[in-house]
């Protein structure tokens, strides 16, 4: 997720467990073939076989409308050891769509075909080329045609975010609309959208007729959601104090990568997602929201932690 799930967050989440694959933030391809340094920036895991520390593969996600440049850029990423190339046809952002990238391409299934097939032909066969779409741009009218274009282009997988571009991120996600595609698909279909807890996961797989899902915001608000899904709820959930430990560590790691103000913003951003699942996150968010320096935030987390630890009541007899 652009601006949210960079390599530091991928490392944190994959260490918890339950995640079988990650995708980078989208990398835009506009006027030229992207140089190596861009891919190393978006995917530092390329230095370690394209995997996070616990061996979770990270596919490089490309976004753009020029099939030739997308293909030549995909080849650069593949040559650097990307374990897979993912193509983004889902981004709803106006600036992205205006520049011929993301969900706007769903209006023209033949262009979806050209982009996917060009990339498929460019990168070695052993490297999966996966795709991510929405149900359509303004409606679902072209969903079958878009999906067929992706099958015909020999993509390895198709992930469907169960909303149109017009829907934005508005709930609900229409998981049942994915079923029409999973029932006819020759390739694995991955369902995505509005999976915030284990119950949502079960409802999503049953309505979409998929066996695999992609987690978006839910992975941030409920960091062990993938592990909970995989262990069928047998593993105990992460306690708030454990989340705080992860946060302190996350702050240390991001300090090595970003300027101070960005570190503070990353922590606040994660806290704002966590608020959905943990009431304590809301309290902590209010305490830190005006702080700018990571040291101030660390002090605030420490104070919050000591308030959160259960203190036995001493009774004087
Ligand atoms: C801030 C933000 C950034 C995102 N960036 C990307 C991205 O770079 N690539 C991508 O495929 N999807 C991106 N998405 C979409 C999510 O991957 C996901 O498809 C969407 O949020 C629906 O899933 P959810 O309801 O579980 O969050 C982004 C979503 C958000 C909210």
């Amino acid at each position: 997720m652009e601006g949210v799930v960079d390599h530091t967050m991928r490392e944190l989440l994959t260490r918890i467990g339950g995640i079988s694959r990650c995708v980078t933030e989208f990398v835009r391809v506009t006027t030229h073939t992207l140089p190596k340094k861009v891919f190393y920036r978006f995917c530092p895991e390329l230095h370690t076989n394209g995997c996070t520390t616990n061996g979770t593969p990270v596919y490089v996600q490309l976004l753009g409308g020029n099939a030739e440049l997308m293909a030549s850029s995909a080849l650069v990423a593949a040559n650097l050891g990307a374990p897979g190339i993912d193509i983004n046809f889902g981004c709803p952002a106006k600036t992205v769509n205006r520049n011929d990238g993301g969900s706007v391409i769903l209006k023209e299934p033949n262009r979806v075909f050209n982009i996917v097939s060009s990339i498929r032909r460019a990168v070695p066969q052993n490297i999966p080329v996966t795709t991510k779409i929405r149900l359509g741009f303004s409606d679902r009218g072209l969903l079958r045609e878009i999906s067929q274009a992706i099958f015909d282009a020999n993509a390895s997988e198709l992930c469907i975010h169960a909303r149109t571009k017009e829907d934005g991120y508005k709930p609900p996600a229409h998981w049942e609309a994915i079923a029409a595609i999973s029932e006819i698909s020759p390739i694995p279909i991955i369902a995505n959208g509005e999976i915030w807890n284990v119950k949502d996961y079960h409802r999503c797989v049953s309505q979409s007729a998929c066996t695999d899902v992609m987690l978006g915001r839910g992975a941030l608000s409920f960091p062990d959601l993938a592990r909970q899904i995989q262990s069928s709820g047998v593993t105990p959930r992460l306690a708030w104090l454990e989340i705080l430990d992860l946060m302190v560590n996350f702050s240390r790691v991001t300090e090595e990568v970003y300027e101070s103000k960005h570190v503070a913003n990353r922590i606040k951003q994660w806290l704002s997602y966590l608020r959905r699942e943990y009431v304590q996150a809301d309290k902590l968010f209010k305490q830190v929201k005006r702080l700018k320096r990571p040291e101030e935030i660390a002090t605030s987390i420490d104070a919050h932690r000591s308030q959160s630890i259960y203190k036995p009541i001493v009774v004087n007899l």
Side-chain angles (χ1 to χ4, degrees):
M1 287 168 57
E2 196 227 356
V4 188
V5 184
D6 65 345
H7 68 286
T8 59
M9 186 51 88
R10 289 194 289 273
E11 183 64 24
L12 185 155
L13 293 174
T14 55
R15 268 172 193 254
I16 295 171
I19 296 175
S20 50
R21 188 194 307 156
C22 293
V23 182
T24 63
E25 298 162 82
F26 64 72
V27 185
R28 278 173 79 176
V29 179
T30 50
T31 53
H32 56 275
T33 304
L34 296 177
K36 292 178 188 178
K37 66 174 184 202
V38 171
F39 291 112
Y40 281 125
R41 176 153 52 84
F42 278 92
C43 188
E45 294 94 339
L46 289 170
H47 292 292
T48 52
N49 289 327
C51 293
T52 64
T53 303
N54 80 348
T56 309
V58 181
Y59 286 13
V60 170
Q61 187 180 71
L62 298 181
L63 178 152
N66 182 317
E68 251 173 65
L69 294 177
M70 288 282 275
S72 53
S73 298
L75 181 59
V76 174
N79 287 339
L80 294 177
I85 304 293
D86 188 55
I87 313 170
N88 181 320
F89 295 116
C91 182
K94 279 201 177 75
T95 43
V96 169
N97 286 182
R98 256 200 312 269
N99 288 294
D100 196 32
S103 57
V104 76
I105 298 177
L106 297 177
K107 290 178 174 179
E108 297 171 274
N110 62 323
R111 295 192 63 211
V112 171
F113 172 82
N114 285 340
I115 293 167
V116 179
S117 59
S118 301
I119 294 181
R120 181 61 285 171
R121 281 196 307 271
V123 305
Q125 272 307 312
N126 63 325
I127 298 178
V129 172
T130 58
T131 49
K132 166 104 177 275
I133 64 170
R134 286 179 174 247
L135 296 178
F137 190 81
S138 30
D139 60 48
R140 305 175 198 174
L142 291 175
L143 179 59
R144 263 179 190 256
E145 231 179 294
I146 295 162
S147 306
Q148 192 59 50
I150 287 170
F151 306 153
D152 293 344
N154 287 321
S156 317
E157 260 176 29
L158 167 59
C159 173
I160 307 181
H161 175 182
R163 281 182 271 241
T164 63
K165 183 265 172 194
E166 296 291 320
D167 294 333
Y169 293 96
K170 235 183 8 250
H174 306 279
W175 300 318
E176 73 292 346
I178 300 176
I181 305 302
S182 25
E183 277 151 14
I184 56 156
S185 175
I187 60 174
I189 301 290
I190 319 288
N192 169 244
E194 292 296 312
I195 302 172
W196 297 101
N197 52 48
V198 178
K199 230 176 169 178
D200 289 339
Y201 160 77
H202 286 296
R203 287 194 303 123
C204 174
V205 291
S206 105
Q207 291 178 30
S208 64
C210 291
T211 48
D212 294 303
V213 301
M214 173 185 278
L215 300 179
R217 294 162 297 170
L220 296 154
S221 63
F222 186 156
D224 53 335
L225 176 55
R227 188 171 75 178
Q228 287 293 312
I229 290 171
Q230 286 242 324
S231 75
S232 310
V234 170
T235 314
R237 280 198 59 178
L238 283 178
W240 175 241
L241 289 175
E242 293 174 288
I243 300 278
L244 288 181
D245 289 340
L246 291 172
M247 195 169 293
V248 170
N249 196 40
F250 178 64
S251 172
R252 274 194 217 113
V253 174
T254 47
E255 271 176 68
E256 288 166 20
V257 184
Y258 299 110
E259 287 171 37
S260 292
K261 65 171 183 217
H262 296 308
V263 175
N265 287 340
R266 291 263 163 179
I267 294 171
K268 289 185 230 173
Q269 182 186 52
W270 188 25
L271 270 172
S272 71
Y273 281 106
L274 286 165
R275 285 201 283 185
R276 188 179 171 112
E277 202 55 37
Y278 293 90
V279 279
Q280 302 95 321
D282 189 50
K283 202 167 155 203
L284 182 56
F285 181 80
K286 286 179 180 136
Q287 280 171 21
V288 305
K289 73 176 178 200
R290 288 200 176 75
L291 304 180
K292 296 216 161 48
R293 298 210 319 268
E295 315 84 78
E296 297 171 318
I297 294 189
T299 309
S300 200
I301 293 177
D302 276 346
H304 170 88
R305 184 202 304 275
S306 42
Q307 289 155 18
S308 306
I309 293 173
Y310 169 67
K311 292 197 188 74
I313 302 163
V314 179
V315 182
N316 285 323
L317 296 172

